[in-house]
């Protein structure tokens, strides 16, 4: 059961794994570096005793390499206590020295092992696992989820949570703890969201939640909206491919229920005082990776519709540069997982400066939405592939809803203008579906470009972040050198990279009243003149773009601001095709974790 749960968490990225169970008042376990298959093989050779109480872990190495010894669970010296840990214990060096001075011998190089020894010492004082955990947590600095068993306390598992994810699954005669509901969805859809600095103590029939100070905590039970099939491949070979094809549904579900019959927007989750929303005079978007690119796209639309200045910042950089935030700044944190530590720290910093914080998130009850003033959920369903696809387009849609909502509340757009824009937005799922049926040429292209060593992506305006995202997708799953540039910036340096045969993808905006389209056509000519092989994504009827293309992919027609929602799809698919043709594991690319819960 624990192995199956770990299997469902594999997508989060890891490099070693382990299990400990309690049987007949003793610990038994196994841990192995590498994939779960190694652990499974070891367990087949040496099966564990029958047990109803155990913990398991997949580790993504931070302190100490991915070895058997560094894999979790970690045990106390007398083999009475076992723990697993996510996060980083920042004061572990000091704790470790203190324990070593006391005669403790460490078996690993991890920061986590200190907790096993501290817990064991605390049990000498209290003999109650929850109370011992409470005492240990008071001494820890950093972010952590800890889960512990004590061989002398049957049918009991105790966990603690500060900043890292932890959720309780409530079953019948059985209870679960996990960092993601996917691991227990097979057994129950009833979950309990834990708050910051809380301890949870479970037995097969009870769940007790207290604070680090020992007070009874208020908890929020909820029902998980999706079922096991959503977390399975459903006939696809890879989750990533499945998720690319789920984009029309994800987009439609993200729009669902947010527009009334008169075209007026309602964001029911918007718990921010309308008067405050009307006073917002600056927006700052903080996010990482793909979510950051979604923010970059959204900036164009938000500023255009609301006339409120909008900055987009990498969450990992934000709080270290003393950003200018006031009570009338709206900070928007975008995160698929809702657990990305860099983004969490950025929104915490914003709240400390008294800014209002809205998060855009795909995971019900995750830490980032919990710590925001309001949340707009992207209803994309679970995203398992490490490379984010359907959540990217759903995040852009959620940002657009927010932009239109602000324009509506601040009176920056007339009602009929909003109706027209919302109509364009609601047409997107059908356009996505149409495009997804025409991806065969992208397969042929991937075959043709299989031996490429470097790929360049160009775009202007909203096409620029699409170029960045196209390059990121290719880098992370195919390990190819890929770079995205603003097409107009090329002549200021990167054009030196262009050489005969180099594949250059170009996103061309729809022909329109401004000269943006023609400028991009000129940029294509510049790279063609230097021998590049051009792969052009433009509206199907765009003859000027087609004339400059060695390969042409036609996009459904529509306004420039909505084009990213379509243009990214062939680029995601291209990355997936190249990587699978090269034989790579696209769902779990090397070195990457799905949720990056360390800073
Ligand atoms: O869960 P989040 O949206 O906060 O994750 C942010 C990034 O870590 C994530 O988008 C990452 O860049 C993906 N691997 C991109 O495909």
């Amino acid at each position: 059961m624990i192995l199956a749960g770990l299997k469902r968490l594999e997508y989060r990225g890891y490099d070693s794994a382990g299990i400990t169970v309690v049987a007949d008042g003793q610990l038994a376990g196994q841990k192995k570096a590498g994939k779960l298959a190694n652990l499974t093989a070891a367990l087949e050779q040496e099966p564990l005793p029958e047990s109803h109480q155990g913990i398991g872990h997949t580790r993504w190495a931070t302190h100490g390499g991915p070895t058997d010894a560094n894999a979790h669970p970690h045990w106390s010296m007398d083999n009475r206590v076992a723990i697993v840990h996510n996060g980083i214990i920042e004061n572990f060096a000091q704790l470790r020295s203190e324990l070593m001075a006391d005669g403790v011998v460490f078996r690993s190089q991890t920061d986590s092992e200190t907790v096993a020894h501290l817990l064991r010492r605390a049990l000498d004082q209290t003999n109650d696992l929850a109370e011992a955990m409470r005492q240990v947590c008071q001494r820890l600095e950093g972010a952590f989820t800890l889960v512990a068993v004590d061989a002398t306390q049957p049918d009991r598992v105790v966990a603690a949570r500060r900043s890292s994810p932890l959720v309780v699954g409530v079953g019948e005669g059985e209870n679960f703890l996990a960092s993601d509901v996917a691991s227990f969805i097979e057994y129950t859809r009833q979950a309990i969201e834990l708050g910051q600095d809380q301890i949870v103590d479970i037995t097969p029939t009870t769940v007790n939640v207290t604070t680090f100070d020992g007070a009874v905590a208020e908890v929020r039970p909820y029902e998980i909206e999706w079922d096991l099939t959503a977390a399975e491949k459903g006939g696809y070979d890879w989750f990533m491919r499945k998720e690319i094809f789920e984009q029309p549904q994800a987009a439609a579900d993200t729009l669902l229920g947010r527009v009334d019959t008169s075209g007026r927007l309602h964001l029911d989750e918007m718990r921010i005082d309308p008067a405050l929303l009307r006073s917002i005079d600056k927006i700052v978007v903080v996010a990482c990776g793909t979510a950051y690119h979604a923010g970059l796209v959204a900036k164009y639309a938000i500023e255009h519709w609301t006339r409120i200045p909008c900055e987009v910042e990498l969450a990992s950089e934000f709080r270290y540069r003393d950003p200018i935030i006031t009570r009338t700044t709206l900070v928007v944190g975008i995160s698929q997982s809702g657990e990305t530590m860099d983004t969490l720290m950025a929104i915490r910093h914003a709240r400390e400066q008294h800014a209002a914080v809205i998060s855009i998130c795909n995971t019900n009850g995750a830490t980032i939405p919990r710590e925001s003033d309001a949340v707009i959920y992207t209803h994309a369903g679970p995203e398992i592939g490490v490379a984010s696809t359907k959540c990217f387009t759903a995040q852009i849609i959620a940002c657009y809803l927010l932009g239109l909502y602000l324009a509506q509340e601040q009176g920056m757009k007339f009602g009929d203008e909003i109706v027209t824009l919302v109509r364009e937005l609601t047409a997107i799922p059908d356009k996505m579906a149409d495009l997804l049926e025409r991806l065969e040429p992208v397969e042929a292209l991937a075959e043709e470009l299989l031996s490429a060593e470097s790929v360049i992506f160009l775009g202007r305006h909203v096409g620029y972040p699409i170029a960045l995202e196209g390059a990121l997708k290719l880098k992370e799953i195919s390990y190819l050198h890929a770079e995205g540039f603003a097409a107009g910036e090329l002549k200021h340096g990167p054009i030196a990279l262009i050489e005969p045969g180099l594949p250059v993808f170009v996103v061309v905006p729809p022909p329109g009243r401004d000269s943006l389209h023609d400028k991009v056509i000129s940029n294509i000519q510049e790279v063609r003149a230097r021998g590049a092989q051009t792969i052009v994504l433009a509206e199907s009827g765009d003859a000027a773009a087609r004339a400059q293309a060695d390969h042409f992919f036609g996009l459904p027609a529509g306004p420039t601001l909505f084009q990213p929602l379509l243009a990214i799809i062939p680029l995601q698919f291209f990355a997936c095709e190249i990587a699978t043709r090269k034989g790579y594991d696209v769902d779990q690319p090397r070195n990457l974790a799905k949720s990056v819960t360390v800073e």
Side-chain angles (χ1 to χ4, degrees):
M1 198 178 215
I2 298 174
L3 261 182
L6 292 178
K7 187 96 192 127
R8 293 204 187 281
L9 295 184
E10 262 195 309
Y11 74 93
R12 295 170 80 102
Y14 69 103
D15 36 40
S16 59
I19 287 183
T20 293
V21 296
V22 178
D24 301 327
Q26 289 193 325
L27 300 184
Q30 188 61 265
K31 10 193 241 179
K32 282 279 160 226
K35 291 286 178 193
L36 274 176
N38 297 355
L39 179 64
T40 311
L43 288 169
E44 273 163 12
Q45 281 212 324
E46 264 181 73
L48 296 178
E50 178 166 339
S51 166
H52 301 274
Q53 172 194 17
I55 53 180
H57 188 258
T58 48
R59 168 175 188 255
W60 187 75
T62 57
H63 295 60
T67 60
D68 290 357
N70 287 337
H72 299 209
H74 293 289
W75 293 10
S76 60
M77 273 174 75
D78 62 356
N79 299 344
R80 174 175 160 185
V81 171
I83 65 102
V84 295
H85 166 226
N86 279 348
I88 293 177
I89 310 289
E90 283 168 4
N91 57 336
F92 90 98
Q94 177 208 328
L95 296 169
R96 190 176 167 110
S97 312
E98 181 188 310
L99 287 161
M100 284 170 78
D102 236 16
V104 172
V105 179
F106 278 76
R107 299 187 243 211
S108 78
Q109 299 152 326
T110 63
D111 52 333
S112 311
E113 191 186 340
T114 50
V115 177
H117 302 304
L118 287 172
L119 258 184
R120 178 64 193 87
R121 278 206 319 193
L123 281 169
D124 281 339
Q125 311 295 318
T126 133
N127 208 32
D128 176 83
L129 189 57
E131 181 50 33
M133 181 69 94
R134 190 166 294 118
Q135 287 177 13
V136 170
C137 288
Q138 310 286 0
R139 299 212 53 203
L140 304 179
E141 288 167 20
F144 49 83
T145 290
L146 294 162
V147 187
V149 288
D150 174 352
T152 69
Q153 303 192 32
D155 284 352
R156 189 178 187 196
V157 182
V158 168
R161 169 179 189 266
R162 169 177 286 167
S163 298
S164 292
L166 179 65
V167 62
V168 185
V170 183
E172 285 185 15
E174 54 183 4
N175 288 314
F176 306 84
L177 294 166
S179 45
D180 187 326
V181 296
S183 53
F184 57 69
I185 188 85
E186 196 175 342
Y187 310 104
T188 178
R189 286 165 72 181
Q190 304 305 316
I192 295 178
E193 192 180 300
L194 289 183
Q196 183 66 346
D197 287 3
Q198 291 186 344
I199 307 258
V200 56
D201 184 352
I202 64 167
T203 68
T205 51
T206 58
V207 176
N208 285 317
V209 186
T210 48
T211 65
F212 280 6
D213 300 326
V216 174
E218 262 190 41
V219 294
R220 191 182 77 89
Y222 67 99
E223 186 167 338
I224 302 158
E225 281 168 9
W226 45 273
D227 60 17
L228 192 59
T229 52
E232 286 180 339
K233 288 188 188 143
Y236 286 88
D237 50 354
W238 297 100
F239 279 110
M240 182 181 178
R241 201 188 304 277
K242 174 178 175 240
E243 287 157 7
I244 290 172
F245 280 87
E246 282 174 345
Q247 287 182 99
Q249 192 62 50
D253 288 348
T254 301
L255 285 163
L256 201 68
R258 282 162 170 162
V259 189
D260 70 18
T261 45
S262 67
R264 209 176 151 75
L265 283 169
H266 299 275
L267 296 183
D268 293 338
E269 320 97 313
M270 190 60 65
R271 298 182 301 254
I272 297 180
D273 178 5
L276 176 63
L277 275 187
R278 282 193 288 277
S279 70
I280 294 299
D281 56 11
K282 179 179 170 186
I283 298 169
V284 181
V285 178
V286 287
C288 305
T290 289
Y292 169 70
H293 295 157
L296 288 177
V297 171
K299 171 188 164 76
Y300 291 86
I302 291 175
E303 288 192 336
H304 183 64
W305 294 332
T306 64
R307 308 312 295 155
I308 304 173
C310 176
E311 293 170 8
V312 187
E313 179 130 7
L314 288 168
S316 52
E317 292 291 321
F318 180 67
R319 69 186 172 129
Y320 299 103
R321 65 165 183 92
D322 193 13
I324 301 166
I325 302 167
T326 68
R327 286 173 195 274
T328 51
T329 304
L330 176 67
V331 173
V332 182
I334 310 177
S335 174
Q336 177 281 131
S337 60
E339 302 293 350
T340 299
M341 190 57 74
D342 289 319
T343 310
L344 176 62
M345 290 304 167
I347 65 154
R348 274 192 190 157
H349 182 76
R351 291 195 83 191
E352 282 160 13
Q353 314 293 309
H354 307 289
V357 173
I358 293 182
S359 57
I360 289 177
C361 183
N362 196 49
T363 314
N364 195 334
T367 311
I368 290 172
R370 280 180 67 89
E371 297 201 14
S372 304
D373 297 295
V375 52
I376 303 175
Y377 280 111
T378 48
H379 296 293
E383 190 181 69
I384 310 280
V386 162
S388 186
T389 52
K390 62 177 177 174
C391 284
F392 175 66
T393 41
Q395 284 161 349
I396 296 174
I397 289 179
C399 287
Y400 281 14
L401 287 170
L402 175 63
L404 289 171
Y405 186 73
L406 286 173
Q408 173 183 282
E409 296 304 296
Q410 294 208 350
M412 287 309 294
K413 284 251 171 269
F414 293 117
D416 55 347
E417 291 176 298
I418 295 194
V419 169
T420 308
L421 289 163
V422 166
R423 199 174 298 135
E424 288 289 355
L425 205 48
T426 45
I428 290 293
D430 283 347
K431 291 183 183 181
M432 284 174 161
D434 160 60
L435 195 155
L436 283 162
E437 280 178 14
R438 300 188 284 107
L439 287 175
E440 256 170 50
V442 182
E443 289 173 25
L445 182 67
E447 188 62 42
E448 193 179 324
L449 298 184
L450 208 51
S451 56
E453 285 174 1
S454 178
V455 181
I456 301 288
F457 293 80
L458 301 178
R460 272 179 114 114
H461 191 265
V462 283
Y464 169 41
I466 292 305
L468 297 177
E469 177 61 9
L472 176 63
K473 287 287 88 81
L474 199 54
K475 275 185 254 202
E476 64 181 340
I477 59 169
S478 74
Y479 319 139
L480 261 183
H481 171 250
E483 277 197 76
F485 296 108
E489 184 63 14
L490 204 67
K491 56 189 176 296
H492 298 289
I495 200 162
L497 291 171
I498 306 296
E499 56 185 18
L502 181 78
V504 178
F505 283 76
V506 191
V507 182
V508 181
R513 278 171 301 168
D514 55 29
S515 54
L516 190 65
H517 169 268
D518 297 352
K519 289 276 184 330
V520 178
I521 299 292
S522 303
N523 297 138
I524 308 179
Q525 281 163 335
E526 287 158 13
V527 294
R528 270 200 125 190
R530 289 161 179 85
Q533 191 182 167
T534 56
I535 303 109
V536 175
L537 286 83
E539 280 192 1
S540 298
D542 187 341
R546 198 181 280 266
Q548 297 304 326
D550 294 309
H551 297 274
F552 182 83
F553 190 87
L555 301 172
T560 306
L561 285 174
F562 296 100
Q563 196 194 46
L565 293 162
L566 305 167
I568 192 58
I569 293 176
L571 301 185
Q572 295 166 339
F573 190 69
F574 175 73
C576 187
E577 285 296 310
I578 286 267
T580 49
R581 279 177 160 70
K582 284 180 182 281
Y584 296 142
D585 180 339
V586 294
D587 288 338
Q588 292 168 52
R590 69 185 181 204
N591 302 338
L592 292 177
K594 179 71 178 162
S595 305
V596 185
T597 52
V598 291
E599 260 193 288

